[in-house]
Amino acid sequence: MPTLTIDGTEVTVEPGTTVLQACEEVGVEVPRFCYHERLSIAGNCRMCLVDMEKAPKPIASCAMPAGDGMVIHTNTERVKKAREGVMEFLLINHPLDCPICDQGGECDLQDQAMAFGRGHNRFDENKRAVEDKEMGPLISTTMTRCIHCMRCVRFSEEVAGVPDMGALYRGENMQITTYLEKTLDSEMSGNVVDLCPVGALTSKPYAFTARSWELKHTETIDVMDALGSNIRVDTRGAAVMRILPRLHEDINEEWISDKTRYVFDGLKARRIDTPYVRKSKKLTAATWAEAFKAIKSKLKGVKGDEIAAIVGDQADMESMAALKDLMASLGSTRIECRQDGSAADASVRSGYIMNSTIAGVEEADYLLLVGANPRLEAPVLNTRIRKAARHFGLKVGNIGNAEDLTYRVAEYGDDAAILKAVLDGSHEASAALKKAEKPMILVGQAALTGEQGAAVLKAARDIADKYCMREGWNGFNMLHNAAGRVGGLDLGLTAEGGVDGILDDAEAGKLKTVFLLGADEIDTSGLKGATVVYVGTHGDEGVKNADIILPSAAYTEKFGTYANTEGRFQRTSKAAFAPGEAREDWSIFRALSDVLGSTLPYDNITQLRARIAKDVPGFENIDVIQVAEWGDFGKQGDIASGGIAPAIENFYHTNPIARASQIMADCIDARGGLVEEATGTNG
Amino acid sequence: MTETTGFSWTPENEAAAQKHIAKYPEGRQQSAVMPLLDIAQRQNGGHLTIEIMEYIADYLDMAPIKVQEVATFYTMYNHKPMGKHHVQVCGTTPCWLRGSDDIIAACKSKLGIGMGETTADGQFTLSEVECAGACVNAPVVAINDDYYEDLTADSISNILDDLAAGKEVKPGPQVDRQTSAPVGGATTLKDFISEGEGA
């Protein structure tokens, strides 16, 4: 443990710490551009120069390991001069276009030029000009502003695992580009915008729409996948202008996926902003009172077992609980949250969460994927797996579709029946699981759908039980795609026969009324015969055959609780008001219950949460991992040989908000174009 | 950067490439990227294309952009078709002091092209390079792999004429001189050597 002195303060740091990190530990700020704690050290911007006693010249603190007995000064005249010099060089070719630069106001170069630079520049020659590069629909480039810190290049190679960025030519002619100026083909590409310390790479959809200082920041969580990435929603008035990641070491570190970041324009398009009632086959706008009256008259004489409800992927727990209570008051318990027909079993909590946790991936030494494609289903989790595979010796095996996950994967084949061999110990994966100190099995929803879903779940459970249990370590993990799914299972929203049963019964006329809470991933054509009450945000699949439509709030417009795929409860905050007449979902059910004559026993969200807490243990423990007791789940059964259909076919179109987003559509177009181009050049 | 189609190693070049790769430890085959690019450039008649770079990237199991980075960083990799003779005139200070401006002027007028251009018959490409590292024999011109040293406007013109005519040309110093030894033969210790030999 080296002990060094920084500006007169003695500090002892871990071996391998750099001088810059040691400075941060004692609270001394060292300016930097190229250094980033989650990327490899480059040492090419020279901004972090500090004085080290006995060294002939200033040292780059980001690249110098802290040594015992070092004496570091960061406030000498020489350091000041060095910083001024570096700053002056960096500004030689940097345009003074801050007033028209989107980075203005949140620019590292701007801030550090103010803090550490000279007042003026002595360079009278022409500045260099660099042609802008095309990097796809998400990243806007102004390459003249680039200071060659290489963060984006290191990110794409190290974190995203898509080594498509690089620096061409040399010296004054150096240019950062993507390979052949193609779209940066990663689900994580938007993060380079955050990493860029200047305005060279900025967000294309956000371009010239707002200034950072006029935005209201709301800290909330994301619902595009089941990780619950921590985000900050920036709004101006009622409009969401952009979405940025927030630091959460155990979930998303500081990354978010492109869908999380760029879906925001989908919050404005195709919104339902007023209730609708179907009158003589045509949906007509109505008031809330009219809509409720219509529901009441439709429900007249309908028995409890003729009513069912399907809950969508992005429902918060408050809404689901209120719907469940409303259904109970109508005499029905038939409410289903597994839209995709997954066999996830609500009876044992450890059977439907990621017991090893997301951060636990870094401790694991073997990971068996079963019908899971983390790159598309949870890109941020995929970068965590990549990190573990790169740095911590994690080995990954896969049963399912062979996809490029950006790290080395032992492909065992696309056949669910392999699980039987793994279970009886005759497969190579069994030996690997047995040998591993902390083995993980990650079951994706793809493996759990279809007729043999329950049998696959049981087999995975038994494999985990046999090979993946260690002291203080539960290696069974389920990867969800729906943000609301774990919450729904916590509330016990599963029905015999699942979604297909409801749809079939509705088609057969056994169901008279079906409530849909943002359920858009199902084929609603079977519901034509029944009265469909759709509560949701977007005009998507769910409204096609709806008879009464009630507008509700999207995830940025309400206070809601979500349990992520680890079972961690987190809450969203209201960043903006829902458009028009739209209301928070739970309050819609509360108001409807009043009209229907049996008022739900809560008047505000606090009371509702207290009610949920009675059913769901640990519900009030926000952002805490709760260890779930191991149990038995799934159903013993035969597993036929056959491929596992992927759970997500189109990463950019997995939910109604994304489907309404023009930016997501552009992302798909950009990739469609890419496929053609690739065949053209590769012959 | 231009396109070619269907690049793949000739058997001799494949063997040469494998020889370079074998110099590096298992899994470090990417270290051989520079010699491989050079071999490929020679095989392709003097320049690299995107397709060749992708071929080498594939051959060495590395990202194409990494190969492109290397190939665009170093000036001796060319990215457009070159003449049969690549005339590289050194214009750095020692050569410049010894009259490289005249050499450049002679090349330009003889070939009728400017810097970075190729003659219409595809015989010559003219370019100015930084220090060729043969300052003792300044001014220097490198044509393909050979150095022509101690040049004058006349001697370079003659060389270019001979090359254009397909005649044999003698590389090295174009004056009476052995490599970098004194012009006109040995001038120092002459007597001593002969005396010593005599004694």
Side-chain angles (χ1 to χ4, degrees):
Chain A
M1 298 274 274
T3 301
L4 64 166
T5 313
I6 295 165
D7 290 348
T9 314
E10 219 168 71
V11 60
T12 306
V13 293
E14 292 287 320
T17 309
T18 64
V19 172
L20 189 147
Q21 287 165 327
C23 286
E24 280 181 339
E25 263 179 52
V26 293
V28 172
E29 194 196 351
V30 180
R32 87 290 303 264
F33 293 109
C34 72
Y35 173 81
H36 191 276
E37 52 264 53
R38 289 177 214 283
L39 302 174
S40 65
I41 292 167
N44 53 10
C45 77
R46 316 312 287 178
M47 195 61 202
C48 65
L49 294 176
V50 297
D51 249 339
M52 181 171 81
E53 273 183 19
K54 294 188 183 125
K57 50 186 184 173
I59 56 159
S61 60
C62 74
M64 174 69 81
D68 205 31
M70 274 184 178
V71 184
I72 304 290
H73 300 283
T74 69
N75 46 14
T76 60
E77 194 52 36
R78 189 160 73 157
V79 171
K80 182 168 176 287
K81 219 178 134 197
R83 285 172 179 171
E84 284 176 357
V86 170
M87 202 68 230
E88 198 174 355
F89 273 121
L90 285 174
L91 290 176
I92 275 183
N93 278 320
H94 191 84
L96 289 176
D97 62 351
C98 302
I100 56 150
C101 175
D102 250 354
Q103 192 87 350
E106 48 184 5
C107 174
D108 287 355
L109 192 69
Q110 207 176 30
D111 296 347
Q112 293 185 28
M114 283 292 291
F116 303 104
R118 296 163 55 92
H120 59 92
N121 195 346
R122 292 171 292 186
F123 184 76
D124 285 336
E125 322 297 319
N126 288 332
K127 288 172 186 265
R128 78 176 199 145
V130 183
E131 250 179 71
D132 291 344
K133 304 291 182 288
E134 175 61 41
M135 292 194 191
L138 301 180
I139 305 164
S140 165
T141 67
T142 310
M143 297 318 288
T144 302
R145 298 182 187 138
C146 177
I147 59 167
H148 303 147
C149 70
M150 299 283 163
R151 277 186 188 181
C152 53
V153 176
R154 281 176 284 150
F155 173 84
S156 60
E157 185 176 336
E158 295 164 15
V159 179
V162 181
D164 277 349
M165 291 191 80
L168 301 188
Y169 308 105
R170 69 196 283 183
E172 169 140 62
N173 300 315
M174 189 157 111
Q175 305 182 12
I176 300 287
T177 182
T178 51
Y179 186 58
L180 306 181
E181 290 197 38
K182 287 180 186 169
T183 302
L184 186 54
D185 192 13
S186 165
E187 294 73 27
M188 302 286 288
S189 67
N191 291 298
V192 299
V193 171
D194 288 344
L195 286 172
C196 185
V198 298
L201 307 179
T202 51
S203 169
K204 200 176 255 182
Y206 170 72
F208 309 129
T209 55
R211 281 302 202 179
S212 61
W213 56 85
E214 58 182 6
L215 297 172
K216 191 186 89 183
H217 313 310
T218 308
E219 301 199 335
T220 181
I221 64 153
D222 170 57
V223 301
M224 291 301 125
D225 53 38
L227 291 185
S229 296
N230 284 216
I231 55 170
R232 190 184 96 189
V233 175
D234 283 3
T235 48
R236 189 176 55 195
V240 175
M241 303 309 290
R242 62 173 177 180
I243 295 172
L244 298 174
R246 226 161 16 105
L247 199 67
H248 193 305
E249 289 296 345
D250 292 334
I251 300 176
N252 57 313
E253 301 178 270
E254 61 188 76
W255 318 123
I256 51 174
S257 74
D258 287 353
K259 189 161 50 179
T260 302
R261 185 185 298 266
Y262 290 112
V263 81
F264 59 87
D265 71 329
L267 291 166
K268 293 168 211 149
R270 280 201 249 157
R271 284 302 293 269
I272 307 169
D273 56 0
T274 184
Y276 285 87
V277 176
R278 197 175 289 274
K279 286 179 187 155
S280 54
K281 296 204 168 167
K282 258 192 89 171
L283 283 169
T284 37
T287 63
W288 279 103
E290 287 165 2
F292 284 163
K293 222 175 98 194
I295 298 172
K296 190 177 180 185
S297 70
K298 292 274 187 190
L299 281 173
K300 197 166 278 174
V302 176
K303 290 197 279 295
D305 59 3
E306 290 170 335
I307 305 173
I310 301 172
V311 173
D313 289 350
Q314 298 182 322
D316 55 299
M317 291 181 72
E318 286 82 354
S319 314
M320 290 189 279
L323 175 60
K324 188 185 178 191
D325 290 348
L326 177 72
M327 294 287 288
S329 75
L330 296 171
S332 171
T333 54
R334 196 167 186 189
I335 172 165
E336 174 61 64
C337 71
R338 299 166 301 180
Q339 266 194 110
D340 53 7
S342 155
D345 188 337
S347 59
V348 183
R349 191 165 204 252
S350 60
Y352 58 82
I353 62 170
M354 203 172 154
N355 294 293
S356 311
T357 74
I358 295 168
V361 170
E362 290 179 24
E363 293 170 38
D365 47 358
Y366 184 79
L367 169 65
L368 179 64
L369 301 171
V370 180
N373 179 347
R375 181 168 179 186
L376 296 188
E377 294 174 40
V380 175
L381 174 65
N382 199 53
T383 62
R384 182 83 75 155
I385 299 173
R386 178 174 158 80
K387 180 180 172 191
R390 259 173 72 89
H391 299 296
F392 309 123
L394 176 72
K395 298 270 180 291
V396 185
N398 179 33
I399 298 174
N401 257 345
E403 303 278 354
D404 174 17
L405 298 179
T406 73
Y407 38 85
R408 198 181 292 274
V409 177
E411 298 289 351
Y412 298 135
D414 183 13
D415 183 359
I418 296 173
L419 287 171
K420 285 186 290 189
V422 178
L423 183 57
D424 67 28
S426 60
H427 194 268
E428 57 180 303
S430 334
L433 286 166
K434 201 184 276 179
K435 205 177 70 190
E437 274 174 40
K438 290 192 169 175
M440 284 176 78
I441 177 166
L442 185 65
V443 185
Q445 296 304 308
L448 302 176
T449 50
E451 280 173 14
Q452 55 186 24
V456 170
L457 180 63
K458 174 74 177 161
R461 183 250 165 224
D462 289 347
I463 290 169
D465 194 51
K466 191 168 170 189
Y467 302 112
C468 303
M469 296 299 153
R470 304 285 185 272
E471 186 66 42
W473 176 265
N474 183 339
F476 180 83
N477 298 283
M478 189 177 286
L479 178 61
H480 290 278
N481 306 325
R485 185 67 54 83
V486 173
L489 294 168
D490 278 346
L491 290 164
L493 304 187
T494 56
E496 198 61 43
V499 163
D500 288 343
I502 293 176
L503 295 176
D504 291 347
D505 282 359
E507 197 151 20
K510 286 188 219 159
L511 286 172
K512 293 280 188 306
T513 306
V514 177
F515 285 87
L516 300 180
L517 172 56
D520 293 298
E521 318 303 322
I522 49 173
D523 179 8
T524 58
S525 56
L527 298 175
K528 275 189 185 125
T531 302
V532 175
V533 180
Y534 178 83
V535 181
T537 55
H538 285 72
D540 204 83
E541 174 67 26
V543 304
K544 277 188 191 160
N545 296 295
D547 299 289
I548 293 128
I549 297 171
L550 305 176
S552 71
Y555 71 110
T556 53
E557 297 153 0
K558 62 185 166 193
F559 296 97
T561 309
Y562 290 86
N564 77 351
T565 196
E566 310 167 284
R568 182 196 298 266
F569 295 108
Q570 297 189 101
R571 283 181 181 160
T572 58
S573 297
K574 190 181 206 154
F577 285 97
E581 290 295 309
R583 295 288 180 269
E584 296 190 21
D585 316 51
W586 76 268
S587 66
I588 295 173
F589 297 125
R590 162 69 176 71
L592 178 59
S593 72
D594 204 28
V595 174
L596 296 178
S598 58
T599 311
L600 295 176
Y602 25 81
D603 299 328
N604 55 47
I605 199 155
T606 316
Q607 291 172 2
L608 171 55
R609 282 176 178 163
R611 133 87 186 86
I612 299 171
K614 278 184 204 146
D615 280 5
V616 182
F619 178 72
E620 301 281 6
N621 297 340
I622 296 303
D623 197 13
V624 175
I625 286 289
Q626 303 174 35
V627 178
E629 213 155 292
W630 188 234
D632 197 4
F633 48 85
K635 224 181 267 158
Q636 198 81 43
D638 271 350
I639 303 174
S641 199
I644 302 170
I648 293 183
E649 291 195 355
N650 192 337
F651 170 72
Y652 298 98
H653 265 177
T654 54
N655 61 57
I657 306 176
R659 282 190 288 268
S661 160
Q662 183 55 46
I663 304 170
M664 292 295 109
D666 291 345
C667 286
I668 296 166
D669 282 352
R671 278 159 182 80
L674 253 180
V675 173
E676 278 167 27
E677 238 179 67
T679 42
T681 48
N682 294 337
Chain B
M1 289 166 206
T2 51
E3 295 279 318
T4 52
T5 46
F7 180 88
S8 64
W9 295 124
T10 60
E12 308 83 70
N13 284 345
E14 167 110 55
Q18 285 301 333
K19 210 172 132 190
H20 283 292
I21 291 170
K23 290 178 187 169
Y24 303 99
E26 187 83 27
R28 302 280 175 177
Q29 76 287 351
Q30 300 179 354
S31 302
V33 64
M34 289 181 65
L36 263 60
L37 281 170
D38 181 55
I39 295 170
Q41 174 164 295
R42 285 165 196 275
Q43 182 179 326
N44 192 45
H47 77 287
L48 292 169
T49 62
I50 289 288
E51 203 220 6
I52 292 173
M53 289 187 265
E54 285 181 355
Y55 179 83
I56 289 178
D58 192 44
Y59 195 74
L60 295 175
D61 190 23
M62 59 198 289
I65 185 109
K66 300 289 158 202
V67 178
Q68 205 188 1
E69 280 182 333
V70 172
T72 54
F73 184 89
Y74 293 100
T75 54
M76 286 167 78
Y77 299 118
N78 306 310
H79 296 278
K80 55 184 189 205
M82 306 300 283
K84 190 175 157 206
H85 307 287
H86 186 195
V87 181
Q88 304 156 77
V89 188
C90 174
T92 309
T93 318
C95 284
W96 173 64
L97 289 170
R98 298 276 294 146
S100 66
D101 283 354
D102 297 340
I103 308 291
I104 291 172
C107 290
K108 280 183 177 168
S109 72
K110 176 60 68 184
L111 301 173
I113 52 173
M115 279 299 164
E117 292 174 6
T118 304
T119 53
D121 60 2
Q123 284 291 305
F124 293 96
T125 299
L126 179 62
S127 47
E128 182 176 337
V129 297
E130 299 309 324
C131 185
C135 313
V136 175
N137 298 55
V140 174
V141 171
I143 301 178
N144 294 346
D145 288 341
D146 291 322
Y147 273 28
Y148 298 86
E149 300 158 333
D150 299 307
L151 293 165
T152 59
D154 285 342
S155 57
I156 186 68
S157 299
N158 291 337
I159 291 170
L160 295 177
D161 280 339
D162 288 352
L163 285 172
K167 286 192 212 157
E168 193 96 339
V169 186
K170 183 179 85 74
Q174 302 299 311
V175 294
D176 174 22
R177 183 178 195 181
Q178 184 197 3
T179 63
S180 303
V183 179
T187 55
T188 319
L189 301 179
K190 265 175 156 176
D191 298 341
F192 179 74
I193 291 163
S194 57
E195 270 175 26
E197 277 170 353

